mmCIF file of all heavy atoms in Angstrom:
data_model
loop_
_atom_site.group_PDB
_atom_site.id
_atom_site.type_symbol
_atom_site.label_atom_id
_atom_site.label_comp_id
_atom_site.label_asym_id
_atom_site.label_seq_id
_atom_site.Cartn_x
_atom_site.Cartn_y
_atom_site.Cartn_z
ATOM 1 N N LEU A 84 -6.303 -0.222 3.508
ATOM 2 C CA LEU A 84 -5.016 -0.876 3.277
ATOM 3 C C LEU A 84 -5.192 -2.382 3.133
ATOM 4 O O LEU A 84 -6.098 -2.985 3.733
ATOM 5 C CB LEU A 84 -4.073 -0.568 4.435
ATOM 6 C CG LEU A 84 -3.831 0.927 4.689
ATOM 7 C CD1 LEU A 84 -3.000 1.112 5.947
ATOM 8 C CD2 LEU A 84 -3.190 1.587 3.508
ATOM 9 N N CYS A 85 -4.325 -3.001 2.379
ATOM 10 C CA CYS A 85 -4.326 -4.452 2.186
ATOM 11 C C CYS A 85 -3.665 -5.098 3.391
ATOM 12 O O CYS A 85 -2.622 -4.651 3.861
ATOM 13 C CB CYS A 85 -3.557 -4.800 0.920
ATOM 14 S SG CYS A 85 -3.365 -6.567 0.676
ATOM 15 N N ASP A 86 -4.281 -6.173 3.895
ATOM 16 C CA ASP A 86 -3.648 -6.935 4.987
ATOM 17 C C ASP A 86 -3.345 -8.385 4.575
ATOM 18 O O ASP A 86 -3.066 -9.228 5.405
ATOM 19 C CB ASP A 86 -4.513 -6.911 6.240
ATOM 20 C CG ASP A 86 -5.830 -7.653 6.102
ATOM 21 O OD1 ASP A 86 -6.100 -8.219 4.990
ATOM 22 O OD2 ASP A 86 -6.604 -7.698 7.088
ATOM 23 N N GLY A 87 -3.432 -8.668 3.260
ATOM 24 C CA GLY A 87 -3.134 -9.988 2.753
ATOM 25 C C GLY A 87 -4.334 -10.923 2.736
ATOM 26 O O GLY A 87 -4.210 -12.080 2.368
ATOM 27 N N SER A 88 -5.507 -10.434 3.108
ATOM 28 C CA SER A 88 -6.707 -11.284 3.164
ATOM 29 C C SER A 88 -7.092 -11.839 1.795
ATOM 30 O O SER A 88 -7.785 -12.853 1.723
ATOM 31 C CB SER A 88 -7.888 -10.503 3.734
ATOM 32 O OG SER A 88 -7.669 -10.215 5.100
ATOM 33 N N HIS A 89 -6.647 -11.206 0.706
ATOM 34 C CA HIS A 89 -6.994 -11.705 -0.630
ATOM 35 C C HIS A 89 -6.516 -13.147 -0.816
ATOM 36 O O HIS A 89 -7.153 -13.930 -1.504
ATOM 37 C CB HIS A 89 -6.409 -10.796 -1.712
ATOM 38 C CG HIS A 89 -4.948 -10.596 -1.630
ATOM 39 N ND1 HIS A 89 -4.377 -9.644 -0.764
ATOM 40 C CD2 HIS A 89 -3.917 -11.181 -2.278
ATOM 41 C CE1 HIS A 89 -3.061 -9.698 -0.907
ATOM 42 N NE2 HIS A 89 -2.739 -10.631 -1.800
ATOM 43 N N LYS A 90 -5.434 -13.524 -0.161
ATOM 44 C CA LYS A 90 -4.954 -14.900 -0.250
ATOM 45 C C LYS A 90 -5.863 -15.852 0.485
ATOM 46 O O LYS A 90 -6.190 -16.921 0.010
ATOM 47 C CB LYS A 90 -3.526 -14.997 0.280
ATOM 48 C CG LYS A 90 -2.506 -14.275 -0.600
ATOM 49 C CD LYS A 90 -1.116 -14.428 -0.056
ATOM 50 C CE LYS A 90 -0.164 -13.670 -0.930
ATOM 51 N NZ LYS A 90 1.222 -13.765 -0.455
ATOM 52 N N THR A 91 -6.316 -15.426 1.677
ATOM 53 C CA THR A 91 -7.179 -16.271 2.504
ATOM 54 C C THR A 91 -8.546 -16.520 1.830
ATOM 55 O O THR A 91 -9.047 -17.632 1.870
ATOM 56 C CB THR A 91 -7.436 -15.616 3.879
ATOM 57 O OG1 THR A 91 -6.156 -15.369 4.490
ATOM 58 C CG2 THR A 91 -8.250 -16.496 4.781
ATOM 59 N N VAL A 92 -9.089 -15.477 1.206
ATOM 60 C CA VAL A 92 -10.422 -15.617 0.588
ATOM 61 C C VAL A 92 -10.377 -16.110 -0.847
ATOM 62 O O VAL A 92 -11.410 -16.321 -1.488
ATOM 63 C CB VAL A 92 -11.221 -14.289 0.681
ATOM 64 C CG1 VAL A 92 -11.429 -13.868 2.126
ATOM 65 C CG2 VAL A 92 -10.601 -13.189 -0.139
ATOM 66 N N GLY A 93 -9.158 -16.294 -1.374
ATOM 67 C CA GLY A 93 -9.037 -16.803 -2.741
ATOM 68 C C GLY A 93 -9.410 -15.799 -3.809
ATOM 69 O O GLY A 93 -9.908 -16.186 -4.876
ATOM 70 N N PHE A 94 -9.165 -14.528 -3.549
ATOM 71 C CA PHE A 94 -9.525 -13.477 -4.516
ATOM 72 C C PHE A 94 -8.775 -13.704 -5.835
ATOM 73 O O PHE A 94 -7.591 -13.952 -5.869
ATOM 74 C CB PHE A 94 -9.157 -12.101 -3.951
ATOM 75 C CG PHE A 94 -9.358 -10.962 -4.937
ATOM 76 C CD1 PHE A 94 -10.650 -10.526 -5.220
ATOM 77 C CD2 PHE A 94 -8.300 -10.355 -5.541
ATOM 78 C CE1 PHE A 94 -10.855 -9.471 -6.089
ATOM 79 C CE2 PHE A 94 -8.474 -9.319 -6.437
ATOM 80 C CZ PHE A 94 -9.774 -8.879 -6.697
ATOM 81 N N ALA A 95 -9.508 -13.645 -6.933
ATOM 82 C CA ALA A 95 -8.918 -13.747 -8.253
ATOM 83 C C ALA A 95 -9.540 -12.670 -9.141
ATOM 84 O O ALA A 95 -10.757 -12.517 -9.166
ATOM 85 C CB ALA A 95 -9.158 -15.120 -8.864
ATOM 86 N N ASP A 96 -8.716 -11.937 -9.839
ATOM 87 C CA ASP A 96 -9.223 -10.850 -10.678
ATOM 88 C C ASP A 96 -9.477 -11.274 -12.099
ATOM 89 O O ASP A 96 -9.927 -10.493 -12.914
ATOM 90 C CB ASP A 96 -8.302 -9.638 -10.621
ATOM 91 C CG ASP A 96 -6.879 -9.940 -11.010
ATOM 92 O OD1 ASP A 96 -6.598 -11.026 -11.532
ATOM 93 O OD2 ASP A 96 -6.025 -9.081 -10.765
ATOM 94 N N ARG A 97 -9.189 -12.531 -12.416
ATOM 95 C CA ARG A 97 -9.446 -13.019 -13.772
ATOM 96 C C ARG A 97 -9.582 -14.540 -13.731
ATOM 97 O O ARG A 97 -9.148 -15.187 -12.793
ATOM 98 C CB ARG A 97 -8.317 -12.629 -14.707
ATOM 99 C CG ARG A 97 -6.976 -13.125 -14.246
ATOM 100 C CD ARG A 97 -5.875 -12.621 -15.133
ATOM 101 N NE ARG A 97 -4.622 -12.832 -14.380
ATOM 102 C CZ ARG A 97 -3.456 -12.633 -14.883
ATOM 103 N NH1 ARG A 97 -3.326 -12.200 -16.089
ATOM 104 N NH2 ARG A 97 -2.393 -12.846 -14.170
ATOM 105 N N ALA A 98 -10.170 -15.051 -14.767
ATOM 106 C CA ALA A 98 -10.366 -16.500 -14.832
ATOM 107 C C ALA A 98 -9.024 -17.214 -15.039
ATOM 108 O O ALA A 98 -8.158 -16.730 -15.788
ATOM 109 C CB ALA A 98 -11.304 -16.872 -15.977
#
Side-chain angles (χ1 to χ4, degrees):
L84 303 173
C85 174
D86 67 0
S88 293
H89 56 278
K90 292 181 182 180
T91 305
V92 301
F94 175 74
D96 56 12
R97 58 185 164 173

